[in-house]
């Protein structure tokens, strides 16, 4: 069981999951498919994703159930896949924004991609809840959209968790 699942509190600390190497501030994708491919590339840097095609398919299949673009310029593409021993979280940003079929009809700029084991249902949901809580704050979203570097993204997230 992962450390995330052992936490008794309702939310998990995203700052403990998100690492600098899983942050990309210059996505080039112009549509959902291209953004998902870029997110898979970032998450795959962990070396823990054994089958990139299966992960890509899982993310696309999840999008078919309903868009993970939850509004406020943010999407949380996520999937549970076989072979993971820990939760992986990545952050991506596209400055021009893309149509990600957002619930509010607006463009999406920020992406938190989540990969977890099929066994980690509770932990998976806790991470989704933590991201959702973070991005409810439009001020935080604006700071993330304007962050100049990866360290700044981590600092914004960490600072928001302390408040």
């Amino acid at each position: 069981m992962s450390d995330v699942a052992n936490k008794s509190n309702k939310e998990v600390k995203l700052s403990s999951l998100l690492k600098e190497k899983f942050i990309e501030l210059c996505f080039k994708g112009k549509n959902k498919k291209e953004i998902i491919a870029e997110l898979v590339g970032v998450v795959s840097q962990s070396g823990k994703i054994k089958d990139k095609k299966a992960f890509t398919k899982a993310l696309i299949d999840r999008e078919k159930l309903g868009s993970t673009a939850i509004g406020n310029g943010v999407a949380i593409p996520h999937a549970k896949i076989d072979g993971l021993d820990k939760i992986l979280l990545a952050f991506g940003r596209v400055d021009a924004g893309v149509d990600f079929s957002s619930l509010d009809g607006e463009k999406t700029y920020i992406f938190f991609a989540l990969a977890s084991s099929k066994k980690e249902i509770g932990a998976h949901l806790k991470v989704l809840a933590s991201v959702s809580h973070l991005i409810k704050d439009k001020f935080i979203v604006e700071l993330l959209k304007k962050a100049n570097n990866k360290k700044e993204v981590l600092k914004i997230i960490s600072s928001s968790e302390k408040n």
Side-chain angles (χ1 to χ4, degrees):
M1 194 180 316
S2 77
D3 294 337
V4 175
N6 290 330
K7 302 237 188 253
S8 59
N9 59 342
K10 194 170 109 182
E11 292 185 16
V12 298
K13 293 220 178 273
L14 300 175
S15 58
S16 68
L17 290 174
L18 188 60
K19 305 297 178 217
E20 214 174 299
K21 70 179 178 177
F22 301 127
I23 298 173
E24 178 55 61
L25 301 177
C26 301
F27 276 178
K28 305 285 187 247
K30 299 193 182 340
N31 58 49
K32 191 179 280 198
K33 187 177 179 181
E34 291 174 359
I35 294 294
I36 287 174
E38 288 182 281
L39 286 167
V40 168
V42 173
V43 175
S44 295
Q45 292 179 57
S46 68
K48 304 282 185 186
I49 304 291
K50 293 172 182 32
D51 187 345
K52 285 189 202 181
K53 285 183 182 177
F55 182 45
T56 301
K57 182 181 182 323
L59 288 175
I60 290 170
D61 288 348
R62 171 57 191 85
E63 288 298 321
K64 288 178 183 173
L65 296 174
S67 180
T68 59
I70 58 176
N72 206 14
V74 181
I76 316 171
H78 57 278
K80 294 182 269 314
I81 57 174
D82 290 321
L84 279 182
D85 58 356
K86 67 183 213 172
I87 288 180
L88 301 173
L89 183 66
F91 175 95
R93 186 177 73 194
V94 58
D95 290 337
V98 296
D99 178 3
F100 214 77
S101 306
S102 180
L103 299 176
D104 62 6
E106 299 294 322
K107 285 186 173 186
T108 303
Y109 301 87
I110 294 172
F111 301 87
F112 285 92
L114 171 62
S116 63
S117 164
K118 290 183 178 179
K119 299 172 190 168
E120 295 278 2
I121 296 167
H124 186 93
L125 293 174
K126 285 182 180 185
V127 175
L128 289 174
S130 292
V131 174
S132 296
H133 180 75
L134 174 77
I135 59 90
K136 274 187 210 174
D137 187 332
K138 289 184 180 190
F139 178 70
I140 298 293
V141 172
E142 284 305 311
L143 288 174
L144 291 170
K145 283 166 73 173
K146 295 175 182 170
N148 292 314
N149 57 57
K150 296 175 181 189
K151 285 186 185 344
E152 194 173 336
V153 168
L154 291 171
K155 184 178 178 186
I156 291 164
I157 292 170
S158 179
S159 294
S160 73
E161 291 173 332
K162 291 175 184 168
N163 297 332

